[in-house]
Amino acid sequence: MQRLAPALRQDNVPLDLISLIQAILTASKDISFRVGQGHLNDLLGSTEDENVQGEVQKKLDVISNDLLKEIILESGFVKAISSEEEDNCVAGNEDGKYLVSFDPLDGSSNTDINSLIGTIFSIHEAPSNLAANDNDMFKQAGDKQVCAGYVLYGPSTMLAMTTGSGTHFYVLDKTYGEFILVERNVQVPAETAEFSVNMSNQRFWQAPMQNYINDLLAGNTGPRGKNFNMRWIAAMVGDIHRVLCRGGIFTYPTDSKDASKPNKLRLMYEANPMAFLLEQAGGLAMTSQGRIMDIQPDSIHQRVEVIMGSKNEVETCLSYYK
């Protein structure tokens, strides 16, 4: 088995990017430990504050954000960071080469029930002509990412990551504190019989998604001619990890429940990094209007529709919108 740094060198990843990735993972190891302590360190439950998204912050949200922010900015490789928990980007080294966007603790509502959560991150190169405190630096399409990944805090602490040379899985060996390569070039099966969606929002979806899901639910007596199983973890990292491991389709479609927020997931630190991982593994990552990684962002907290997973099933879903 191969340690992280040699595996990245094998993919010809620049040394400064390897060092930045290692800084991100240093923070994730600390988060993994704190998540595991849970009740013992009084880290569960909510604060009395809301983040910029209007969501109540969990204690571990705040701790995870502060850990990532401090360690990434101290690395010296980063011009600025953006986070789900920050109103605006946070300046780092004016001469830093990279930008990092992250969701410090995706699925944090699961912390109180000891269920799957994770850290999602995305890395772009930093423009040299903009100041380190300028949000406009982050308005880059997903296909400009140089690295994306997530750390899943489950029975093992697992890293899924791509630098553009395939999607690879690593597991944290807690004896030595090292991430070890366990699967290179993960491939998502093109066919699937599993779907992942929050069914409680069904009545608010657009007609094409309503019709698509109804046909899945009809099973082998319906037009699809086979039975589908639904799986829903309520943490994107968990649901996408399952898709990467055994296929499936994950969607958070546009809905009309709140007219001011027709879409749920954030482009920069949720949809884009997951899209990069899935495309590198042979899957598709789309909205009903086109490829996620082609979207030109208009803000660091932009929300988008998401339809991603096994290639053939995503294409079937999109056919309902034609």
Side-chain angles (χ1 to χ4, degrees), residues 120-262:
I120 309 172
F121 61 91
S122 168
I123 304 175
H124 284 80
E125 291 189 350
S128 59
N129 61 333
L130 295 173
N133 62 353
D134 191 337
N135 284 345
D136 286 347
M137 285 192 301
F138 288 86
K139 295 178 182 178
Q140 301 184 49
D143 62 5
K144 300 293 187 182
Q145 292 174 104
V146 296
C147 177
Y150 61 78
V151 180
L152 184 68
Y153 309 118
S156 62
T157 296
M158 198 161 191
L159 166 68
M161 188 170 65
T162 182
T163 56
S165 298
T167 293
H168 314 319
F169 285 164
Y170 303 80
V171 169
L172 178 61
D173 182 342
K174 294 184 179 180
T175 303
Y176 302 102
E178 294 270 4
F179 279 94
I180 306 297
L181 179 67
V182 293
E183 187 172 354
R184 179 175 281 277
N185 293 320
V186 173
Q187 290 296 300
V188 177
E191 298 288 346
T192 186
E194 289 189 344
F195 68 100
S196 180
V197 66
N198 185 349
M199 288 293 293
S200 68
N201 292 327
Q202 184 176 18
R203 65 194 184 279
F204 302 110
W205 297 337
Q206 297 170 317
M209 185 58 73
Q210 291 263 16
N211 295 336
Y212 168 70
I213 295 295
N214 285 337
D215 285 352
L216 300 188
L217 295 174
N220 59 10
T221 63
R224 297 300 304 279
K226 67 177 182 179
N227 293 323
F228 284 78
N229 288 324
M230 192 190 88
R231 299 287 184 264
W232 181 250
I233 295 173
M236 192 182 190
V237 285
D239 285 306
I240 294 301
H241 189 70
R242 184 184 57 253
V243 170
L244 283 170
C245 288
R246 68 187 194 201
I249 182 170
F250 170 87
T251 180
Y252 220 113
T254 297
D255 67 49
S256 60
K257 184 166 62 173
D258 181 346
S260 67
K261 295 179 182 177

Side-chain angles (χ1 to χ4, degrees), residues 14-63:
L15 291 178
D16 54 0
L17 182 54
I18 292 175
S19 296
L20 172 55
I21 291 167
Q22 289 177 321
I24 293 170
L25 297 180
T26 295
S28 76
K29 293 173 194 176
D30 199 336
I31 294 168
S32 177
F33 174 77
R34 291 169 189 253
V35 166
Q37 292 296 96
H39 283 93
L40 301 179
N41 284 351
D42 191 29
L43 296 178
L44 302 187
S46 301
T47 68
E48 296 181 356
D49 300 318
E50 292 184 350
N51 63 17
V52 66
Q53 318 294 333
E55 300 164 342
V56 174
Q57 292 177 306
K58 296 289 185 178
K59 294 177 183 177
L60 278 167
D61 279 325
V62 176
I63 292 168

